[in-house]
Amino acid sequence: MNWLKNFVRPKLRELVGGQKEVPENLWHKCGSCGQMIFHRDLEKYLHVCHHCGHHMRLGATGRLNLLFDEDGFEIIMLPKAIIDPLKFRDLRRYSDRLKDARAKTGDDDALKVGFGKIKGNNVVIAALDFSFMGGSMGLAVGEGLLIAAREAVSRHAPLVVVPSSGGARMQEGIHSLMQLARTTIAVDEVKQAGLPYIVVLTDPTTGGVTASFAMLGDIAIAEPGSVIGFAGLRVIEQTIRETLPDGFQRAEYLLDHGMIDMVVPRAQLRKTLARVIDLLMNKTRDPSQVLKGIEPDLIREESAGDALPLDAHTDKADKPLPPDIELDNISTGVIGHGS
Amino acid sequence: MHNYLDFEKPIAELEGKIEELRHLSSSNGVNIADEVGKLQSKVDRLLVTTYAKLSPWQKTQVARHHDRPHAVDYIQGWITDFTPLAGDRAFSDDNAIIGGLGRFWGHSVVVIGTEKGVDTESRVKHNFGMAKPEGYRKAVRLMKMADNFGLPIITLVDTPGAYPGIDAEARGQAEAIARSIETSLNLKVPLISVVIGEGGSGGAIALAVGNNVQMLEHSIYSVISPEGCASILWRDGNLAETAATALRLTAQDLFELGIIDNVIIEPVGGAHRERNQIIEDTGNSIKKALEELVQHEGTVLKSQRRDKFLAMGKRGLG
C-alpha cells in the first residue's frame, strides 16, 4: 500500500505533468457564450473558447509560459516591499487579505517577472496576475516593475509588460497612487536606454494601471475583447446617467479610437511580439536572408505547431498541437458579448 | 455670511447671535460691544479648538468648501502679467485645467491649475474641476513649452478626479494622464505643486509629480475618494467617514508618510475664512521652494524629482 502510495502515484503524477490524478473540473463553462469546454481543449486553445473566441484570463505564470520559448526562462526574484504600510482595515484587515491571496496563488504579490527568449529574441516579461487581489498595484508591483525595467536595461533586452489589473490597490492608499509615478519612471528608463517597451493589454486593464505604464508602450497590443479603460463602467454610468455603447472600453473600441496599435489573438501573440522585437532591435538584416526564408516565422503565416499549449513544456509530445485560431472568428465572436 | 459645514454648527450659532446683536444695536442704539466681544472671543476659541482636531472626514469637507480659494484666486493673488493659454492643439480647450504664462516674484513662470468654479455657471464651465484628456494634453503642452524656455512651473491641484465619461474614455483619458506624469518626470525646470483643496487620484497626480510638493493644512490627497473607497471596500457609500480615516489622506498623514515636502498652515477656521492670508502664505511658501530650486542645473532637477519618487514607500525597509 505504501509502495503504491509513495512511489507509484508520484511517478504517475510526474508522467501526467504534475496534475492531480483526476482533474476536479473536466468541463469549463465559457463565461461569454456559455458553451462547455473540455479541459484538454481549454489548454489546447490557450484558454480561448473555441466556440466563440472569448479570451479567458490567464495567471501570471500562465502568461510567462505562454509567451516565452519552450526551453524555459529565468524567474527574476523581486525584492520585498513594505507590507500593509497604512495598517489598513476595511471589512477585513488588509494583512489578512494579503495572506489569503498568497495562500491561494502561492505568490508574494501580483507581479511576476521572467527573463528568457521569444523565438530566440532576449526579452524581459513582467505579467500581472488578476487572481492576486485583482492584479492591483501597490508598493510590491511598483517595485517589481522597477526591477523588471532595470533587468531589461542591464541585459539590453526589450521589456514586455502584460497588465491584468483593476488598478491601484486601495488598501495602500496614497502609496499605491505614487506607483503611477514610480512605474512611469521604470518604463521610461527602458525607453531612455533605447530599448523597446511593449505592452500587451489583457482583460481587464483599468484605473491607475492604465493611467501610467500600461498606456505608455512604444507598441501597444491588446487581446481581443479585453476591457481597457480609466474609469470603471459603473462610475461612468452613474456620472452621465446613460447606458454605455456596445463594445465600450473593449480592445476593439480602443483600436478604433487610435489608442492601441493592434488587437492580436492569444495564439498569435508570440509571433507578433517576436516580429516587432526583431524589427525594433535588429535594424539591419541581409534582405536575401529574409527572402530565402531563413526567418520563415517572420514572413509567413505561423505554422500550426507554433502556438504551444500552456503545458507545452512538460508534455508537448503527447498533446495535439493547436491550430491557429482564425482572427476573424475571434473578433466576430467577442464583440458585443458582455462579460 | 459663511457657508457652514455640519461640524461648525456651534460656531454658526454663536456667529448668528453676534449678527443678531449687531442688528439690534444698530436699530435701537443699544451698546452691546461688551457682549459682542465676549461672544467673538468664544467663537475664536471654538474655531481654534475645532480646527485643531479636525477628523479626516471633516478635513475632506473643508477641502471641498465652496468658499475655499480656488486656482484662479491664487493666480490673481500672485501672478502679474498673467497670460492665459488655451487648447491642446488636437481637439479642444478644457476649462477644468487653466494655465498660462505670468510673472511670480519676478520669475517668468508657467502656471497650471485645476479649477472647480464658484457658481453654477462657472462650475459647469470648468466641469467641476474634472479634466478631460484635452485638459491633461494642454498641461503637457504647457509643461513642454516651459521646459523649452527654461521657465519654472507651478501647478495648483484641486480636483475630485479626472472626468469619468464616454467622451473622455474615447479620447484616451488614461493615456493623457500617463503622458502628463511622464512629461513631468522628464522636465529640466523646477516643478512645484501645491494641493490647495482636493487631490483626487490620477487626475491629481497628473499635475503633482513635482520637485517640491506641498499641501494646504486642510487639503486632502488620495488614491480614491472616501465615498468611492467606502462603496467598493465596505460596500456602503455611507461609510465615507470611516474610509477617509483608513485612507490616511490628510496633509499631516502625507507629510508623515514622506509623500509631500511641506504643509502650509491655514488661518484659524480654514482657508475660506481668511482668503487673502492663505493666498499670501502659500505664495511665500512656493517662493521659498522656487528660489532654492532655480539654483540647480536642469539635469539635477530631473534626477532629484525622479529620485524623490523612487525613494517613496521604502522607509523602514531593511
Side-chain angles (χ1 to χ4, degrees):
Chain A
M1 195 59 200
N2 278 345
W3 181 79
L4 274 177
K5 208 173 176 180
N6 297 333
F7 183 75
V8 174
R9 266 160 65 173
K11 273 282 172 196
L12 277 170
R13 238 178 248 172
E14 232 170 81
L15 283 173
V16 294
Q19 288 178 348
K20 287 177 190 166
E21 288 150 277
V22 183
E24 279 168 15
N25 300 308
L26 286 172
W27 293 89
H28 294 260
K29 192 175 176 183
C30 170
S32 181
C33 70
Q35 292 262 22
M36 298 306 285
I37 306 164
F38 192 53
H39 72 106
R40 290 226 178 89
D41 285 337
L42 196 68
E43 280 161 27
K44 183 168 118 182
Y45 294 112
L46 314 171
H47 291 246
V48 174
C49 173
H50 58 285
H51 303 290
C52 72
H54 174 62
H55 281 53
M56 297 166 208
R57 286 172 190 162
L58 271 185
T61 305
R63 273 293 158 194
L64 300 186
N65 282 330
L66 170 83
L67 295 176
F68 280 120
D69 289 349
E70 62 184 292
D71 48 358
F73 56 90
E74 189 185 318
I75 282 282
I76 306 295
M77 293 304 289
L78 301 180
K80 294 260 175 274
I82 290 182
I83 294 163
D84 194 8
L86 305 184
K87 305 279 169 262
F88 194 95
R89 180 179 196 159
D90 46 73
L91 296 175
R92 297 181 58 207
R93 281 177 205 280
Y94 172 41
S95 54
D96 289 341
R97 284 185 195 269
L98 262 181
K99 246 179 245 161
D100 285 1
R102 285 174 175 178
K104 187 177 91 178
T105 60
D107 295 325
D108 271 352
D109 213 290
L111 190 80
K112 260 212 154 81
V113 180
F115 172 75
K117 290 177 194 297
I118 299 180
K119 292 180 182 280
N121 298 280
N122 279 341
V123 59
V124 172
I125 304 178
L128 277 165
D129 201 325
F130 193 78
S131 61
F132 194 107
M133 294 193 73
S136 56
M137 172 168 72
L139 283 162
V141 168
E143 210 55 32
L145 267 173
L146 277 159
I147 294 294
R150 284 159 187 185
E151 199 69 29
V153 172
S154 74
R155 305 210 193 214
H156 196 68
L159 174 66
V160 173
V161 174
V162 189
S164 178
S165 169
R169 190 171 295 168
M170 281 174 283
Q171 292 90 344
E172 293 188 19
I174 195 72
H175 284 302
S176 61
L177 187 63
M178 292 304 121
Q179 302 317 307
L180 273 67
R182 301 177 86 243
T183 56
T184 301
I185 296 175
V187 300
D188 200 52
E189 286 181 2
V190 176
K191 291 179 184 183
Q192 298 201 354
L195 295 164
Y197 167 50
I198 301 167
V199 185
V200 179
L201 301 157
T202 71
D203 187 63
T205 303
T206 60
V209 164
T210 54
S212 56
F213 65 91
M215 282 294 159
L216 294 171
D218 292 310
I219 307 284
I221 300 169
E223 281 196 336
S226 307
V227 168
I228 305 158
F230 178 64
L233 295 176
R234 256 184 311 159
V235 178
I236 299 174
E237 273 178 337
Q238 281 163 13
T239 309
I240 60 170
R241 295 179 197 285
E242 47 186 285
T243 40
L244 299 167
D246 267 358
F248 180 67
Q249 285 188 337
R250 299 279 172 173
E252 297 75 10
Y253 177 91
L254 271 84
L255 184 68
D256 280 349
H257 286 82
M259 294 303 147
I260 56 175
D261 294 292
M262 51 190 120
V263 177
V264 177
R266 190 168 291 166
Q268 294 178 21
L269 279 176
R270 273 170 49 78
K271 180 175 75 173
T272 307
L273 284 170
R275 185 173 62 242
V276 167
I277 291 168
D278 187 70
L279 287 167
L280 291 172
M281 293 291 283
N282 300 307
K283 294 179 185 81
T284 54
R285 204 178 267 287
D286 184 352
S288 62
Q289 273 194 342
V290 179
L291 292 176
K292 275 179 196 156
I294 291 174
E295 295 286 329
D297 286 349
L298 299 178
I299 55 171
R300 271 192 225 144
E301 268 306 294
E302 197 155 42
S303 67
D306 198 80
L308 295 164
L310 289 181
D311 53 356
H313 300 167
T314 50
D315 58 358
K316 183 180 157 195
D318 301 334
K319 295 243 168 171
L321 294 166
D324 258 345
I325 294 162
E326 291 298 321
L327 186 83
D328 291 345
N329 292 346
I330 284 177
S331 48
T332 51
V334 169
I335 294 175
H337 283 265
S339 61
Chain B
M1 208 35 204
H2 288 292
N3 286 314
Y4 292 100
L5 299 166
D6 292 347
F7 65 87
E8 292 179 316
K9 217 172 166 189
I11 298 163
E13 278 167 10
L14 284 174
E15 289 191 332
K17 262 186 203 158
I18 295 174
E19 274 305 303
E20 257 175 52
L21 280 175
R22 288 215 170 106
H23 205 74
L24 269 175
S25 72
S26 60
S27 52
N28 299 349
V30 186
N31 188 352
I32 42 94
D34 269 11
E35 191 59 21
V36 167
K38 251 189 248 165
L39 283 172
Q40 190 58 52
S41 59
K42 222 174 176 184
V43 167
D44 293 346
R45 276 202 307 276
L46 204 52
L47 273 174
V48 171
T49 52
T50 307
Y51 271 77
K53 51 175 175 55
L54 292 180
S55 72
W57 177 242
Q58 288 168 337
K59 277 181 187 277
T60 304
Q61 292 169 283
V62 177
R64 295 169 175 170
H65 199 292
H66 283 331
D67 300 334
R68 201 171 169 83
H70 286 176
V72 288
D73 303 308
Y74 289 96
I75 292 172
Q76 256 168 31
W78 310 322
I79 308 288
T80 53
D81 291 337
F82 184 61
T83 308
L85 300 172
D88 66 345
R89 298 298 184 269
F91 177 77
S92 156
D93 184 39
D94 184 351
N95 286 303
I97 292 184
I98 55 171
L101 288 160
R103 213 166 270 286
F104 176 84
W105 288 92
H107 296 276
S108 187
V109 296
V110 163
V111 190
I112 303 167
T114 41
E115 172 58 45
K116 288 180 170 177
V118 287
D119 50 30
T120 308
E121 197 188 333
S122 70
R123 281 188 196 119
V124 169
K125 181 185 163 197
H126 295 288
N127 200 27
F128 303 85
M130 294 184 286
K132 294 180 182 177
E134 47 273 25
Y136 298 108
R137 290 182 181 131
K138 170 163 79 177
V140 166
R141 184 174 77 80
L142 296 189
M143 286 194 253
K144 285 185 170 166
M145 187 190 66
D147 203 35
N148 220 11
F149 289 94
L151 309 178
I153 302 167
I154 299 168
T155 60
L156 300 169
V157 177
D158 187 17
T159 176
Y163 182 65
I166 296 178
D167 50 344
E169 294 289 323
R171 292 194 292 278
Q173 185 71 292
E175 194 264 357
I177 293 171
R179 284 297 165 208
S180 189
I181 295 171
E182 186 186 49
T183 306
S184 307
L185 285 164
N186 281 298
L187 295 169
K188 294 200 170 86
V189 293
L191 173 55
I192 299 170
S193 307
V194 186
V195 181
I196 55 175
E198 238 182 319
S201 195
I205 194 174
L207 297 180
V209 186
N211 296 88
N212 181 281
V213 182
Q214 311 194 24
M215 286 177 74
L216 264 57
E217 186 185 358
H218 306 308
S219 63
I220 57 164
Y221 188 12
S222 174
V223 67
I224 186 169
S225 70
E227 292 90 339
C229 184
S231 83
I232 297 172
L233 291 184
W234 279 265
R235 298 192 192 93
D236 181 356
N238 297 320
L239 292 177
E241 194 167 349
T242 313
T245 306
L247 280 167
R248 306 208 44 197
L249 43 60
T250 70
Q252 294 70 27
D253 283 329
L254 269 65
F255 185 73
E256 201 179 297
L257 293 167
I259 305 295
I260 60 165
D261 301 289
N262 185 37
V263 177
I264 301 167
I265 301 301
E266 295 188 22
V268 172
H272 55 283
R273 280 193 173 250
E274 297 289 345
R275 294 163 60 96
N276 291 337
Q277 186 63 51
I278 190 63
I279 289 168
E280 191 187 327
D281 291 351
T282 306
N284 287 335
S285 188
I286 293 174
K287 178 175 172 262
K288 200 173 146 202
L290 181 65
E291 284 176 351
E292 203 275 313
L293 288 170
V294 288
Q295 294 174 25
H296 300 290
E297 292 281 322
T299 48
V300 175
L301 290 169
K302 178 179 158 180
S303 57
Q304 181 263 348
R305 195 181 308 117
R306 292 164 87 105
D307 290 347
K308 183 177 121 106
F309 281 86
L310 288 176
M312 280 177 194
K314 300 191 109 174
R315 211 167 45 173
L317 196 66

